[in-house]
Amino acid sequence: MYVEKELNEFGKYLVQQSRSILTRTKKNASKELYNSISYEVKQHKNSFSFSLSMEDYGEFVNYGVTGVGGAGWDKKKVDNSKFKYTNKRPPAKAFNGWVIRRGIAPRDKSGKFISRKSIMFAIANSVYHTGLETTNFFTLPFERAFAKLPDEVIEAYGLDVEILLKNALK
């Protein structure tokens, strides 16, 4: 059916563009979010359904999180996000794998490596104060694809109805 084909094209475009933006903005350290982006089109008796899924934290990466700021802290650019840090910091342990994947291993003045626990705390503190920048990795492709979708779906729906009528009249 043509409507199903158009919805599948819509989904493929969203997944491909979202993944591309994640890679381009370097928000792809573990590939966990990247690999979790998927869609599903289901055909029902009298309708179609379209669903998109990704890791829960994808929403924070997409919209950004406003930091609390403070003396000496420059907040990152966040556009109209409903998420913000207030009095609770992100857990330092959430940055353990990220620190390893990024190869972050600074040294102190005497040349000794700084403990990973200290690095994770420093990163969590920085994120708390500066926030997470808006990426719109999903919003931009969705808006672009959705702007084109109505005309294509209406046209495809018309073709499907035409085929159904031809088959019914045989």
Side-chain angles (χ1 to χ4, degrees):
M1 295 294 209
Y2 294 106
V3 174
E4 186 174 19
K5 179 184 174 276
E6 288 299 328
L7 290 174
N8 275 309
E9 291 297 319
F10 178 75
K12 286 177 190 173
Y13 177 83
L14 283 177
V15 170
Q16 186 272 327
Q17 290 295 305
S18 296
R19 287 177 173 176
S20 177
I21 292 172
L22 280 175
T23 302
R24 197 169 49 247
T25 58
K26 294 182 173 59
K27 301 290 184 187
N28 203 12
S30 72
K31 292 218 183 254
E32 192 175 317
L33 178 58
Y34 180 96
N35 291 330
S36 74
I37 303 170
S38 63
Y39 74 94
E40 184 177 31
V41 176
K42 287 185 183 175
Q43 184 175 359
H44 304 284
K45 188 176 179 182
N46 296 319
S47 64
F48 289 94
S49 65
F50 179 88
S51 61
L52 188 91
S53 61
M54 71 177 83
E55 288 289 330
D56 291 339
Y57 70 90
E59 204 173 1
F60 300 114
V61 176
N62 184 60
Y63 295 114
V65 181
T66 305
V68 295
W73 294 99
D74 292 331
K75 289 187 191 180
K76 295 200 172 140
K77 188 175 184 311
V78 178
D79 303 325
N80 302 320
S81 178
K82 60 184 174 185
F83 306 114
K84 62 182 173 182
Y85 290 110
T86 52
N87 58 356
K88 192 173 179 185
R89 297 173 191 272
K93 66 182 178 182
F95 297 99
N96 188 29
W98 188 83
V99 167
I100 294 167
R101 281 187 295 278
R102 295 289 186 180
I104 299 173
R107 299 174 186 257
D108 63 14
K109 289 180 182 176
S110 63
K112 295 179 193 169
F113 283 108
I114 297 172
S115 75
R116 187 177 314 141
K117 199 172 188 177
S118 296
I119 294 166
M120 292 182 327
F121 177 80
I123 291 171
N125 193 41
S126 174
V127 168
Y128 173 72
H129 285 284
T130 61
L132 298 173
E133 188 173 17
T134 300
T135 63
N136 286 322
F137 80 92
F138 175 73
T139 304
L140 290 175
F142 182 84
E143 287 173 350
R144 283 187 212 128
F146 193 75
K148 292 190 293 184
L149 185 65
D151 294 338
E152 292 166 352
V153 170
I154 289 168
E155 187 177 313
Y157 184 72
L159 291 171
D160 285 347
V161 169
E162 188 177 315
I163 289 169
L164 289 171
L165 288 173
K166 282 180 184 176
N167 289 337
L169 296 174
K170 284 184 180 179

